[in-house]
């Protein structure tokens, strides 16, 4: 197992190193891989982590099936490492937490409005990659999450073709509940938790997953993600509740259902059911209201010049622009300048090139602790000034970048891909 190549900078010394990094990268900050295990899941083995390192944090912690991008959000895992889920910036042999960089750089890093409203980078994204399905679960809405001192979490999916040559065991995702399902039926599933399969999937509908497409998943909506490797922009919170007791013969403990439930309500079945956004779960037009296909952003694309920028996560959640993401493709020998309304986290998924003064390249394999050139945090300063991206390779250069709330003057509406 490779050790980290950079030395950690203490919190007290971040400001000086950040200033040098911002100056040298013209507002672009190089990030190192941020690996997260999940003890209740099985790694899908497509996120480029070396086969020797799937259990780099120990068999007891579970396999590494996630990589988090530009994250200032801690992973809510039992037995976690102190910095688990938190991304690091690297510069000239040293590294420091992006969370500390945000607190030091404030508006220059996340944007003045973002800092004034949230005092943090309030979103993150990840690859999650599993051999089979995840239990049917939901992420709490704000009114329920705040009872345990946390925040509600809407999220979105995109299935990058570059990481999905294999489908693994189950390329379908159950989402929501069948129209007509009653709360009493869901409550009965909770009553039957210790009887084996509690039958929650009997109340749900599965949708086949399609590479190069995506979904919105509002807070409070049940979902059992299938086995395509997924890019997942989301709110900066790790709240969840598992509503399925058995997955592929593996027990899901009750503790994962009530992980983010107030202690005095851990066996209050009515409260647990009430955490669900019922109308969204039983929506008879669920696909129409949540399914996404890429939309070319014509204002930031020029096919004749060899580049195009596509919306992959868009639309409003409860009337608000909470999370969004784009996929930029630059053909061999081509270049472009991108300008965005705010900061973003970038991951290179194909090819190689340059972003401003920094090299970018998608590696074939990464050992735990290695620091490849594939991930960048584009600060608000860099986004405003514009960033030149050049493809220096012989294949398309493709990068995914995700944004925080209200970054754009407007985003497409769900369903606009049909136009």
């Amino acid at each position: 197992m490779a050790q980290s190549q950079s030395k950690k900078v203490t919190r007290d010394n971040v400001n000086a190193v950040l200033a040098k990094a911002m100056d040298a990268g013209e507002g672009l900050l190089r990030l190192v891989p941020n690996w997260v295990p999940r003890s209740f899941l099985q790694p899908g083995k497509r996120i480029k982590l070396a086969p020797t390192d799937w259990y780099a944090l120990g068999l007891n912690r579970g396999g590494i099936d996630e990589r988090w991008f530009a994250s200032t959000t801690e992973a809510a895992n039992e037995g976690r490492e102190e910095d688990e889920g938190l991304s690091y910036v690297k510069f000239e042999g040293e590294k420091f937490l992006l969370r500390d960089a945000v607190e030091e750089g404030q508006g220059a890093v996340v944007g003045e409005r973002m800092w004034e409203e949230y005092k943090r980078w309030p979103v993150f994204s990840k690859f999650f990659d599993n051999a089979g399905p995840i239990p049917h679960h939901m992420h709490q809405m704000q009114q329920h999450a705040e009872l345990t001192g946390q925040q509600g979490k809407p999220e979105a999916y995109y299935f990058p073709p570059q990481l999905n040559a294999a489908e693994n065991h189950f390329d379908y995702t159950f989402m929501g509940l069948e129209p007509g399902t009653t709360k009493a039926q869901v409550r009965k599933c909770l009553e039957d938790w210790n009887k084996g399969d509690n039958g929650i999937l009997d109340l749900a509908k599965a949708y086949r997953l399609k590479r190069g497409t995506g979904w919105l998943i509002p807070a409070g909506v049940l979902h059992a993600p299938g086995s395509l490797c997924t890019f997942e922009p989301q709110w900066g919170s790790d709240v969840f509740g598992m509503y399925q007791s058995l997955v592929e013969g593996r027990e899901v403990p009750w503790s994962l259902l009530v992980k983010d439930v107030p202690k005095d309500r851990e066996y209050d079945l009515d409260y647990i059911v009430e955490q669900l956004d019922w109308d969204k779960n039983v929506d008879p037009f669920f696909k129409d209201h949540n399914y996404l296909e890429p939309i070319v952003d014509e204002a930031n694309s020029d096919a004749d010049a060899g580049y195009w920028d596509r919306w992959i996560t868009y639309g409003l959640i409860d009337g608000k622009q909470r999370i969004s993401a784009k996929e930029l493709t630059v053909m061999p020998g081509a270049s472009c300048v991108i300008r965005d309304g705010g900061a973003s986290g970038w991951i290179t998924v194909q090819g190689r090139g340059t972003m401003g003064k920094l090299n970018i390249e998608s590696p074939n394999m990464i050992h735990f602790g290695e620091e490849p050139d594939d991930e960048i945090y584009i600060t608000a300063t860099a986004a405003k000034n514009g960033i030149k991206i050049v493809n220096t390779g012989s294949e398309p250069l493709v990068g995914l970048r995700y944004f925080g709330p209200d970054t754009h003057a407007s985003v497409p509406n769900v369903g606009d891909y049909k136009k």
Side-chain angles (χ1 to χ4, degrees):
M1 183 175 72
Q3 298 299 311
S4 176
Q5 299 167 352
S6 299
K7 180 181 177 181
K8 288 185 182 179
V9 175
T10 62
R11 176 71 177 83
D12 294 341
N13 296 318
V14 166
N15 192 43
V17 183
L18 173 62
K20 294 177 183 177
M22 288 283 285
D23 183 61
E26 297 180 337
L28 301 176
L29 300 176
R30 174 90 68 195
L31 302 181
V32 302
N34 176 6
W35 307 107
V36 174
R38 296 295 193 185
S39 61
F40 50 90
L41 298 171
Q42 294 178 301
K45 305 176 182 178
R46 293 166 298 193
I47 53 177
K48 303 186 179 181
L49 183 62
T52 54
D53 298 345
W54 293 324
Y55 294 90
L57 293 171
L59 188 63
N60 61 309
R61 293 297 319 282
I64 293 172
D65 64 332
E66 298 184 356
R67 179 179 173 184
W68 292 21
F69 302 116
S71 170
T72 62
T73 300
E74 296 182 1
N77 285 337
E78 290 187 5
R80 62 186 297 274
E81 299 292 317
E82 181 181 15
D83 55 1
E84 195 159 302
L86 299 176
S87 293
Y88 279 89
V89 180
K90 74 166 183 175
F91 179 70
E92 294 185 345
E94 297 182 305
K95 69 177 184 179
F96 51 93
L97 288 173
L98 177 61
R99 182 171 66 182
D100 292 344
V102 170
E103 292 178 0
E104 290 290 343
Q106 301 184 3
V109 175
V110 299
E112 295 296 341
R113 181 199 53 78
M114 193 85 69
W115 176 255
E116 287 300 318
E117 185 166 353
Y118 299 102
K119 296 294 189 290
R120 67 178 186 132
W121 177 238
V123 289
F124 73 104
S125 190
K126 68 168 79 166
F127 287 150
F128 71 78
D129 175 40
N130 297 290
I134 299 176
H136 211 34
H137 69 283
M138 63 85 196
H139 305 285
Q140 280 84 351
M141 294 180 284
Q142 180 61 25
Q143 64 265 39
H144 299 113
E146 64 188 14
L147 296 178
T148 56
Q150 301 180 87
Q151 294 194 11
K153 184 170 80 165
E155 61 189 24
Y157 301 155
Y158 176 69
F159 312 115
Q162 294 86 355
L163 283 87
N164 279 297
E167 294 176 341
N168 286 353
H169 299 168
F170 194 82
D171 60 329
Y172 298 82
T173 289
F174 287 89
M175 300 186 209
L177 298 164
E178 276 286 338
T181 299
T182 67
K183 293 181 181 180
Q185 288 176 293
V186 175
R187 192 184 195 283
K188 182 64 165 58
C189 291
L190 301 180
E191 293 173 0
D192 291 343
W193 193 272
N194 285 319
K195 295 181 179 179
D197 184 349
N198 68 343
I200 190 72
L201 294 186
D202 296 338
L203 308 178
K205 180 185 293 183
Y207 299 83
R208 186 171 184 183
L209 306 181
K210 180 180 177 182
R211 296 170 181 83
T213 70
W215 293 80
L216 288 179
I217 304 292
V221 170
L222 287 164
H223 51 293
S227 59
L228 285 189
C229 183
T230 303
F231 180 66
E232 186 184 27
Q234 59 202 272
W235 199 253
S237 172
D238 200 25
V239 293
F240 61 81
M242 301 291 182
Y243 281 62
Q244 185 178 352
S245 62
L246 200 67
V247 179
E248 294 187 322
R250 302 187 307 277
E251 174 197 4
V252 180
W254 183 267
S255 61
L256 291 180
L257 168 65
V258 298
K259 180 180 80 72
D260 297 304
V261 168
K263 292 295 183 183
D264 61 346
R265 293 186 172 181
E266 288 184 349
Y267 295 94
D268 184 342
L269 303 189
D270 293 322
Y271 173 80
I272 294 171
V273 173
E274 288 301 326
Q275 291 182 113
L276 302 176
D277 187 321
W278 197 257
D279 289 341
K280 288 187 174 70
N281 275 282
V282 298
D283 180 3
F285 302 102
F286 187 90
K287 183 173 183 179
D288 288 340
H289 293 157
N290 295 284
Y291 175 68
L292 307 172
E293 293 204 3
I295 297 174
V296 174
D297 182 354
E298 299 290 354
N300 292 288
S301 304
D302 188 338
D304 292 335
Y307 69 92
W308 49 92
D309 208 18
R310 303 196 304 170
W311 293 100
I312 55 174
T313 297
Y314 52 87
L316 304 180
I317 296 177
D318 295 327
K320 298 179 180 179
Q321 187 190 125
R322 304 294 301 280
I323 47 179
S324 57
K326 301 179 85 173
E327 176 193 72
L328 178 69
T329 301
V330 183
M331 297 304 289
S335 66
C336 64
V337 175
I338 60 170
R339 290 182 176 84
D340 295 312
S344 65
W346 164 287
I347 179 65
T348 312
V349 294
Q350 184 179 354
R352 60 186 174 89
T354 58
M355 176 184 287
K357 293 181 177 181
L358 304 183
N359 292 324
I360 50 174
E361 183 172 10
S362 181
N364 291 321
M365 186 171 68
I366 310 168
H367 280 279
F368 189 90
E370 289 182 341
E371 301 173 352
D373 291 343
D374 60 346
E375 187 180 355
I376 304 289
Y377 184 80
I378 301 172
T379 68
T381 300
K384 179 180 179 180
N385 293 337
I387 308 151
K388 185 175 183 179
I389 298 176
V390 181
N391 184 338
T392 60
S394 59
E395 63 177 324
L397 172 62
V398 183
L400 310 177
R401 67 194 194 280
Y402 75 93
F403 308 90
D406 302 314
T407 295
H408 316 286
S410 64
V411 296
N413 292 314
V414 176
D416 280 357
Y417 71 90
K418 297 176 183 178
K419 295 181 179 178

